[in-house]
Amino acid sequence: MASVVTGVAGFIGSSLAEKLLDRGEQVIGIDCFIDYYPRALKEKNLQGLLANARFRFIEQNLVDVDLASLLADVDIVYHQAAQAGVRASWGKDFSIYTRNNILATQRLLEALKGTKIKLINASSSSVYGEVVTLPMRETDIPQPVSPYGVTKLAAEHLCCLYARNYGVEAVSLRYFTVYGPRQRPDMAFHRFIKAMLRGEEIEIYGNGEQTRDFTYIQDAVSANLLAGERGQRGEVYNIGGGARITVNNVLELLERLTEKPAKVRHREPQKGDVTHTYADTQKAQDDLLFKPTTTLEDGLKRQIEWMQKEILPFQF
Ligand code: UGA
């Protein structure tokens, strides 16, 4: 098997590419090092991959790359590249989101017309917005509350349209707040753990009673592999870790695991943040045989270990 992983220098892309190589596959990775967090962190993510003879790296944006040659002799594209960040998606940077999340996906889909190449599109729980009843189901009407969520939903809709009209083998996975080693530095656990280990203040948006269905990175990676094997054309699947918890309760857990106190400062709730997420993963269980296997406590322990070794000693 030969795969393309877009966004291969990122948190999920690099973890997925490593797994594919472990399975003996050929991987072409592409990344343009979007200037959202330090390039040095992404280069660190790539280190192990670059040492593998079955890995080839292309530094380019999907909007510019020659897709015909990128996709020649490839069986599957794991499309993880995106402009991330729910809270940062307001304002003048929105064009970065539309270009990298919508246009890049549309270009990929155009290039996949008339091929048998499968596309696993990384979508997001942020497409749902504030749903009335939890858990969130794929049949709910998506009503995103952030510009980021709007772009992820647009990309997902494009996948459905190209599947329906051109038979493109596209499948979307709605990830629910993924965490673990290599988590992006703008995300909650990364910020919390770093601050606690350094004795610094943690900022909590709102009262901390918001909940998330946090998903461990290797469960998100497994979901991609299963979707590659079993995902139904044009479908979307919730990928959640099965552990819904308040931000306040996460802090208590982190205090226990790090044996450090959390110095909390509350700030106003952030525009674009949803109050609660919780995935109904029945569809992913039925079609993909997906079942998350890592508990929040175990996943957090691994993220803390990674941060102690790979982040804290450096000036990231
Ligand atoms: C995350 C990712 O950043 C998105 O790319 C992804 O699409 C999304 O999950 C998803 O599941 O769809 P988010 O849920 O905001 O977005 O993830 P975190 O940054 O880990 O935030 C989790 C919670 O902690 C949020 O309620 C946020 O308001 C809160 N938070 C975050 C704080 O209170 N303080 C912080 O410093 C950071």
Side-chain angles (χ1 to χ4, degrees), residues 19-294:
K19 189 68 165 191
L20 293 166
L21 291 172
D22 284 350
R23 301 207 311 180
E25 299 185 17
Q26 304 277 338
V27 178
I28 302 170
I30 179 165
D31 204 293
C32 68
F33 295 100
I34 285 180
D35 183 20
Y36 180 61
Y37 63 90
R39 181 177 173 124
L41 272 176
K42 299 185 188 179
E43 285 177 343
K44 224 169 151 57
N45 292 343
L46 278 179
Q47 264 169 18
L49 293 168
L50 292 171
N52 191 309
R54 279 178 284 105
F55 181 72
R56 185 155 72 84
F57 179 62
I58 298 168
E59 181 175 344
Q60 213 170 1
N61 192 307
L62 281 173
V63 170
D64 305 313
V65 73
D66 175 358
L67 286 170
S69 63
L70 178 71
L71 300 173
D73 306 320
V74 160
D75 305 290
I76 182 159
V77 178
Y78 297 96
H79 180 35
Q80 311 297 310
Q83 174 57 48
V86 177
R87 296 170 284 281
S89 62
W90 302 99
K92 66 175 170 40
D93 285 345
F94 185 59
S95 60
I96 304 176
Y97 285 80
T98 54
R99 182 177 149 89
N100 292 295
N101 298 357
I102 305 177
L103 186 58
T105 307
Q106 186 268 353
R107 268 197 99 226
L108 256 181
L109 288 161
E110 277 289 322
L112 292 173
K113 283 191 328 198
T115 74
K116 296 232 168 333
I117 303 171
K118 199 149 188 176
L119 177 74
I120 310 302
N121 173 54
S123 187
S124 154
S125 70
S126 65
V127 303
Y128 284 108
E130 298 283 2
V131 301
V132 186
T133 21
L134 293 170
M136 294 157 153
R137 296 200 171 86
E138 292 87 347
T139 46
D140 294 341
I141 296 172
Q143 292 181 303
V145 294
S146 64
Y148 166 79
V150 168
T151 63
K152 294 306 272 186
L153 181 59
E156 213 185 73
H157 279 329
L158 285 165
C159 289
C160 296
L161 294 182
Y162 277 78
R164 197 181 313 144
N165 290 281
Y166 294 101
V168 174
E169 292 288 339
V171 173
S172 290
L173 303 181
R174 290 179 178 165
Y175 300 147
F176 282 66
T177 315
V178 184
Y179 73 99
R182 296 192 187 157
Q183 192 190 41
R184 294 194 326 261
D186 63 310
M187 293 183 73
F189 292 179
H190 189 118
R191 299 178 89 172
F192 295 170
I193 296 167
K194 183 151 69 178
M196 286 169 81
L197 294 177
R198 286 185 176 162
E200 293 166 359
E201 235 176 31
I202 288 171
E203 283 186 344
I204 297 295
Y205 304 136
N207 63 8
E209 285 303 299
Q210 64 267 43
T211 58
R212 289 288 179 278
D213 184 345
F214 293 101
T215 310
Y216 188 63
I217 178 65
Q218 289 307 326
D219 286 327
V221 165
S222 302
N224 274 276
L225 303 181
L226 291 167
E229 287 156 19
R230 299 166 174 276
Q232 301 291 307
R233 185 204 301 157
E235 295 296 325
V236 301
Y237 297 98
N238 284 343
I239 301 301
R244 177 176 169 240
I245 182 170
T246 66
V247 167
N248 289 332
N249 286 336
V250 167
L251 284 181
E252 284 165 18
L253 184 53
L254 284 175
E255 285 186 316
R256 179 159 65 76
L257 296 176
T258 60
E259 297 176 352
K260 307 265 188 209
K263 297 183 197 162
V264 171
R265 183 163 67 88
H266 287 273
R267 277 190 56 181
E268 70 286 0
Q270 301 290 292
K271 291 183 176 56
D273 262 349
V274 297
T275 319
H276 303 293
T277 70
Y278 185 29
D280 181 325
T281 53
Q282 192 60 50
K283 186 176 172 188
Q285 262 181 58
D286 292 346
D287 283 13
L288 311 180
L289 308 181
F290 168 75
K291 233 180 170 13
T293 58
T294 305

